[in-house]
Amino acid sequence: MPGVLWLRVGELARRAGLTVRALHHYDEIGLLTPSGRSGSGYRLYNEADVQRLHAIQTLRHLGLPLCDIAGLLEDGGPEPGHLIAQQIESLDRQIAQAAELRARLSLLRDGLLAGPAPGMGDWLDSLALMATYGRHFSAAELQWIFRNWKRIEADWLVVRDLVRGAMDRGLPADDPQVQRLAHRWMGLMLHWMEGDMDLLERWGHMFRTEPGAQGRNHAPPGDMIAYIEAAIDLRMERLLRHVDMADLRRMGHVPHTEWADLEADVQALMDRRQAPSCEEAAAAARRWSALFDTLCGHDPALRRKLLAASAAEPLLRAGAPLSPAVRAYLEAAALASAQRQTAPLDPHAT
């Protein structure tokens, strides 16, 4: 048979990564019958046979049994390019599944090995918690969330204890102290999720609907979630009269310590009876403006919206990180500074 390239069964097996026994079996069941025989009876395979073998192996990798493959390959079988595309798609799924499994195993390992040697209860608790998380998030999302947790962990533990204290005292949701905690809680959550409202909403939904996730690994218990969400709902209802969800995604984060430092410094000026027109007060007003600019994501339009919201909504002002007296002092200092900058020059001054 001149002009045709033929492969003997042993060579085809070697080059295709199969066994001779497998090729013999394919022949015996009529799945791959060699197109030729040598003078001494050896099986010989041509290009069409090799193409059919590729289709067989592709369909096997897709998980089909040999009996189904025979039916699919009748009348020439699927087009080779389509088979290759199917195999690539199958491999992509396997790679994605393997990556997901690896990420979940890494999360499980990190959770178990962070403390002392795990016992059976630790294994069961971690498995149950990961199953809960897995119903709401991919492993990649969980890795990102847990990695970002370090950004807020220290402040979160303080806020959690303060909320528990407010609950123990029976403070209502609209109490100024509770509203300040709600403001702080919201800021931490937005900072944790980097403004991703979809992730934040799914995280909140998980904790509301999955009791097994509540109170674990520093997470709030169910009663605390209900308590602080009541305060947040009040705050959000007022806030969304003036901004939308896209505005909230653009907001930046100011650590509570920076607001607290400004509050303490301005209170010290007030205690020393320093006039709002003094230079120290002007410097404090500039700090206040810079922090607010960071909170607004350096967006002048959002800054105007938030100022309008604060002016119109007493509940929002009640939850602001600065006390009313300090804020009034800073407003007076900012006004005095602006007046100095716009005052006309005295032609008689020396």
Side-chain angles (χ1 to χ4, degrees):
M1 290 170 279
V4 178
L5 178 63
W6 296 92
L7 295 176
R8 292 176 62 170
V9 66
E11 184 177 3
L12 177 58
R14 177 178 60 81
R15 295 179 65 175
L18 297 169
T19 64
V20 171
R21 178 177 294 181
L23 292 176
H24 285 176
H25 179 61
Y26 290 175
D27 186 9
E28 291 165 2
I29 64 175
L31 187 59
L32 179 63
T33 301
S35 297
R37 292 274 179 170
S38 69
S40 51
Y42 287 109
R43 293 172 173 84
L44 295 176
Y45 299 83
N46 62 15
E47 183 176 344
D49 297 331
V50 173
Q51 180 175 317
R52 184 178 175 89
L53 177 61
H54 188 280
I56 292 167
Q57 293 305 101
T58 297
L59 292 169
R60 286 201 66 197
H61 282 301
L62 292 173
L64 296 177
L66 293 179
C67 58
D68 292 343
I69 291 173
L72 286 172
L73 293 182
E74 290 180 2
D75 302 323
E79 192 270 330
H82 178 65
L83 282 174
I84 293 172
Q86 282 185 307
Q87 191 172 21
I88 290 172
E89 183 179 345
S90 175
L91 289 171
D92 284 343
R93 284 197 300 270
Q94 293 175 40
I95 290 169
Q97 289 168 357
E100 179 79 2
L101 176 59
R102 184 188 187 284
R104 290 192 182 279
L105 288 172
S106 296
L107 288 167
L108 185 59
R109 177 201 61 197
D110 294 344
L112 284 172
L113 300 184
M120 181 182 291
D122 298 313
W123 283 102
L124 293 174
D125 288 346
S126 292
L127 287 168
L129 192 56
M130 289 310 301
T132 298
Y133 288 155
R135 287 193 286 272
H136 301 269
F137 300 94
S138 70
E141 288 174 328
L142 289 172
Q143 285 184 318
W144 185 88
I145 289 169
F146 294 153
R147 185 171 58 249
N148 265 17
W149 166 249
K150 298 184 184 300
R151 303 171 68 179
I152 70 162
E153 182 176 10
D155 203 13
W156 158 251
L157 296 177
V158 173
V159 172
R160 182 196 60 184
D161 292 345
L162 291 172
V163 171
R164 175 56 68 186
M167 293 172 64
D168 292 343
R169 297 197 305 277
L171 298 180
D174 59 353
D175 184 272
Q177 291 184 54
V178 179
Q179 280 298 308
R180 279 193 289 275
L181 289 171
H183 177 279
R184 194 168 167 185
W185 184 298
M186 289 170 61
L188 285 175
M189 295 300 104
L190 283 169
H191 185 48
W192 183 14
M193 302 296 178
E194 294 186 2
D196 189 324
M197 299 302 292
D198 173 63
L199 275 182
L200 187 55
E201 287 167 6
R202 280 192 283 145
W203 189 259
H205 176 73
M206 180 183 72
F207 275 94
R208 283 189 296 272
T209 59
E210 300 274 9
Q214 298 171 4
R216 304 278 295 277
N217 296 341
H218 303 307
D223 62 340
M224 184 179 293
I225 293 171
Y227 179 81
I228 198 65
E229 284 198 339
I232 289 173
D233 287 346
L234 283 177
R235 194 164 192 82
M236 288 295 292
E237 191 274 328
R238 305 300 197 281
L239 189 58
L240 290 175
R241 296 174 183 175
H242 305 272
V243 302
D244 57 28
M245 298 304 291
D247 290 326
L248 293 180
R249 292 187 186 96
R250 293 200 302 275
M251 288 182 65
H253 177 69
V254 177
H256 179 75
T257 53
E258 296 193 32
W259 292 118
D261 289 345
L262 180 60
E263 171 85 17
D265 291 345
V266 173
Q267 187 62 55
L269 290 176
M270 295 166 61
D271 291 344
R272 300 201 318 264
R273 301 186 181 280
Q274 296 293 309
S277 57
C278 74
E279 181 51 40
E280 287 178 281
R286 289 191 293 270
R287 280 172 60 193
W288 177 43
S289 180
L291 292 180
F292 197 69
D293 197 35
T294 298
L295 181 67
C296 298
H298 307 284
D299 183 336
L302 180 54
R303 182 186 180 113
R304 289 192 294 272
K305 288 181 182 181
L306 291 179
L307 287 172
S310 179
E313 306 291 347
L315 184 132
L316 295 179
R317 289 198 302 277
L322 298 177
S323 65
V326 164
R327 178 164 176 153
Y329 182 90
L330 287 169
E331 289 173 347
L335 179 61
S337 179
Q339 289 173 341
R340 284 198 302 273
Q341 292 174 11
T342 58
L345 294 176
D346 184 352
H348 303 291
T350 57

